Amino acid sequence: MDTKRIFKRLKNGKSIETFYRNSIDITYTIRLGYENNQFTLHFCYLDGNDVFDETNYKDESTETFYDFDELIMAIQLKFPGIEIKL
C-alpha cells in the first residue's frame, strides 16, 4: 500500500473508494476521505439486492482520525491484507 500517495490524494480533497472481500458472501465497500482536518473511514457491506433499502447495509461504521497513521493502522487491523490501489 502506497501510503504517501493515499495521504496526498486525501489531503488534496479527493476521496478513495475500494473493496475488501472478507468471505465468499461478504465484500466490504470502504471509503476514505479528508474533511475539516479529519481523515474519515466509512465501511459497510450489502446484504441483499436493493441498494436503496438501508436495512440491507450491514456492519456500517464511520470513524474519524486526526492522525493519518492512526487511519492506516485502523484500516490494516479491520481489513488484514488489504491493498489500496490508486
Side-chain angles (χ1 to χ4, degrees):
M1 182 167 18
D2 189 348
T3 56
K4 287 183 183 182
R5 287 186 64 197
I6 293 169
F7 179 81
K8 285 181 184 179
R9 183 175 176 97
L10 293 175
K11 284 293 247 184
N12 284 325
K14 297 184 180 179
S15 62
I16 297 172
E17 182 176 272
T18 191
F19 303 94
Y20 178 80
R21 176 158 276 182
N22 192 25
S23 68
I24 293 173
D25 297 331
I26 298 175
T27 300
Y28 280 88
T29 300
I30 302 165
R31 292 185 184 95
L32 307 177
Y34 182 75
E35 192 174 306
N36 299 325
N37 294 322
Q38 292 182 341
F39 296 97
T40 59
L41 166 64
H42 177 262
F43 58 89
C44 64
Y45 69 90
L46 185 64
D47 184 22
N49 294 326
D50 187 1
V51 295
F52 296 109
D53 184 357
E54 291 189 21
T55 61
N56 287 334
Y57 292 94
K58 305 297 182 191
D59 194 21
E60 185 170 15
S61 180
T62 301
E63 299 177 18
T64 58
F65 304 89
Y66 286 104
D67 183 55
F68 179 73
D69 292 329
E70 288 179 15
L71 169 70
I72 296 298
M73 200 174 344
I75 292 169
Q76 291 173 338
L77 285 173
K78 291 180 189 321
F79 308 103
I82 190 169
E83 194 57 42
I84 299 173
K85 304 208 185 228
L86 303 179

